[in-house]
Amino acid sequence: MRNAAFRLLWTGQTVSTVGSAVASASVPLVALLVLHASTFEVASLTAAAWLPWLAVGLPAGAWVDRWPKRRVMLVCDVIQMAAFLAVPLSWAFGLLSFTVLLIAALVGGFAKVFFSLAYRAFLPSVVDDADLLGANVRLQGAESAAQVGGPGLAGLLATVFGPVSGVLVDALSFGFSALCLRFVRADEPPPRPRTRLRTEIAEGMRIVIRDPYLRVLVLSGGVANLALNGFFAVAVVFLVEDLGQGPGVVGLVLALGEVGGVLGATLVSRVARRTGTARGFLWCETLVVPAMLLGPLAQPGWGLTLFVLAGAGIAAGVVGSNVLGATFRQRYCPRHLYGRISASSAMVNYGTIPLGALLGGTLGQTAGVRTAMFAMVGVQVASLGVLLMGPLRRARDFPQVTLAVDSPVEGAGVVGGGR
């Protein structure tokens, strides 16, 4: 894609995603190996990172619609850099505690809420509508590639320099992302005239509730995130304590599993052309269920292959559906309302992530990690059932028109949205 602004955005996000992928393995390793945390405490770190979606998700969408998106992203990158830089600094001065780790995850999570909403709304200002699918494929492909290298790098850093070094890499990656954003130039649409915050929040919620496509995607996504994050919140504990693996092997196993995400990003456009965007989305979501079943069947030695296959299948299905779902929403939702519509969706989708992490941690602590992972497979089946209750089961493609919305003064009702 010959677009300088997109290349800068893509480069910054790729490096930042590598850092976050490193931290996703490093933070639990710090908790387990440095602070000797319990299964529930490790899972609570994931919960803390996503809890802000429940706290500020809805008003954040309305606020982001009012503000320049690039500036919001810059500020959030700096906040996340400072939050995670506090961890290695605390360790260097002998002050690191589980509380410091929890606060870093929580502060970083609040900044991530605003960054994510601004980022999704900003992308259509950087690329043309016709290029959105290709842009999302490149971004998701880079993210998947980062997820492949990140855990392996985390394991290597933990083995050579200690687990805390991975958190430092994450902090520095946010600084690099901010530097790239500093030079991105794009024509953002002017913000809409402000109304009451409550009115703007209600407008976004009303659109999501009334539209059959957005509604089913939100409900299914919320259940799926409950399942997936309950599953992965205890994954490192499962590999370290149940299977007896060290940091290097844990990083390698997680990295190999993420190869599936690269495959999903590479093939999703071809799948969408052959089956249709809606059917391709359903196939991707369906793939996740049998893949999850393999994870808790893993054993030490060659039995670890099952966990790798589980990770690969989950990553392929999730990345493929994310590409198709994100492209649909960016084309379907009016740009001036995208922030609040996205926030209403994300509050449900991401709000269940801390609940899933706490559920996985609680089940892992009381019934065993393997039992907790099997339970999350059942929840994922329910997510697929929700999808099949909506219009997607009959559609070949997502709607190709932009959502028509009445004036907010008249109630923000949905008018259009045919195939």
Side-chain angles (χ1 to χ4, degrees):
M1 187 175 294
R2 302 174 67 181
N3 181 322
F6 176 76
R7 285 198 300 271
L8 276 170
L9 181 66
W10 177 81
T11 302
Q13 284 309 292
T14 300
V15 172
S16 178
T17 303
V18 170
S20 296
V22 170
S24 70
S26 295
V27 170
L29 288 173
V30 170
L32 279 172
L33 303 180
V34 179
L35 302 175
H36 309 292
S38 68
T39 298
F40 181 80
E41 286 176 326
V42 172
S44 70
L45 292 171
T46 300
W50 293 95
L51 188 62
W53 283 100
L54 287 174
V56 297
L58 286 176
W63 286 325
V64 165
D65 277 340
R66 297 175 176 183
W67 299 333
K69 312 298 184 289
R70 188 179 70 91
R71 188 180 303 168
V72 171
M73 294 161 68
L74 267 169
V75 171
C76 290
D77 266 340
V78 173
I79 292 173
Q80 290 179 93
M81 180 178 67
F84 288 102
L85 195 58
V87 174
L89 288 176
S90 297
W91 175 81
F93 288 99
L95 301 173
L96 182 60
S97 65
F98 184 78
T99 301
V100 170
L101 213 56
L102 196 66
I103 291 173
L106 192 61
V107 173
F110 273 104
K112 188 68 174 179
V113 169
F114 289 89
F115 184 96
S116 298
L117 294 172
Y119 173 66
R120 293 174 193 161
F122 183 63
L123 185 61
S125 298
V126 177
V127 299
D128 295 331
D129 184 75
D131 295 326
L132 273 175
L133 179 58
N136 279 310
V137 166
R138 287 193 63 179
L139 288 165
Q140 284 285 342
E143 181 175 339
S144 299
Q147 294 289 349
V148 171
L153 180 57
L156 178 63
L157 289 169
T159 301
V160 178
F161 302 106
V164 176
S165 60
V167 186
L168 175 61
V169 168
D170 187 30
L172 296 177
S173 73
F174 287 119
F176 183 84
S177 173
L179 185 63
C180 290
L181 278 170
R182 179 69 180 80
F183 295 101
V184 171
R185 294 292 177 266
D187 294 325
E188 295 188 48
R192 282 185 82 185
R194 297 186 182 187
T195 57
R196 293 179 62 189
L197 182 63
R198 184 183 302 175
T199 302
E200 294 181 8
I201 293 172
E203 185 176 10
M205 294 180 66
R206 201 155 39 226
I207 293 170
V208 171
I209 291 170
R210 292 184 180 181
D211 184 81
Y213 288 94
L214 295 176
R215 182 173 64 244
V216 76
L217 289 178
V218 167
L219 293 176
S220 174
V223 178
N225 278 335
L226 186 75
L228 290 169
N229 286 277
F231 186 93
F232 282 110
V234 296
V236 172
V237 178
F238 176 63
L239 293 170
V240 172
E241 296 189 349
D242 286 48
L243 304 188
Q245 306 304 308
V249 175
V250 170
L252 179 62
V253 168
L254 294 176
L256 290 174
E258 291 294 345
V259 170
V262 179
L263 186 64
T266 302
L267 298 179
V268 66
S269 296
R270 190 180 307 172
V271 170
R273 284 195 298 270
R274 290 188 177 183
T275 68
T277 52
R279 288 180 187 170
F281 180 89
L282 283 175
W283 277 115
C284 290
E285 290 287 319
T286 301
L287 173 63
V288 175
V289 174
M292 285 181 71
L293 271 173
L294 297 177
L297 297 176
Q299 299 291 336
W302 285 104
L304 283 172
T305 305
L306 291 177
F307 199 92
V308 172
L309 292 174
I314 293 169
V318 169
V319 168
S321 64
N322 280 350
V323 168
L324 295 174
T327 302
F328 161 64
R329 283 186 288 264
Q330 286 164 347
R331 289 174 172 169
Y332 191 59
C333 300
R335 287 176 64 184
H336 66 281
L337 297 172
Y338 191 87
R340 68 201 74 170
I341 293 174
S342 182
S344 298
S345 303
M347 192 196 71
V348 177
N349 287 169
Y350 295 160
T352 58
I353 290 178
L355 302 179
L358 292 174
L359 177 60
T362 301
L363 286 174
Q365 187 85 40
T366 57
V369 174
R370 220 182 278 267
T371 300
M373 296 171 80
F374 276 123
M376 293 304 105
V377 178
V379 179
Q380 184 66 27
V381 172
S383 163
L384 189 59
V386 172
L387 272 180
L388 296 176
M389 291 170 60
L392 292 181
R393 72 178 185 274
R394 299 185 301 271
R396 182 182 189 277
D397 291 289
F398 283 115
Q400 300 296 308
V401 298
T402 301
L403 181 67
V405 181
D406 293 338
S407 164
V409 176
E410 298 172 4
V414 175
V415 177
R419 294 184 196 174

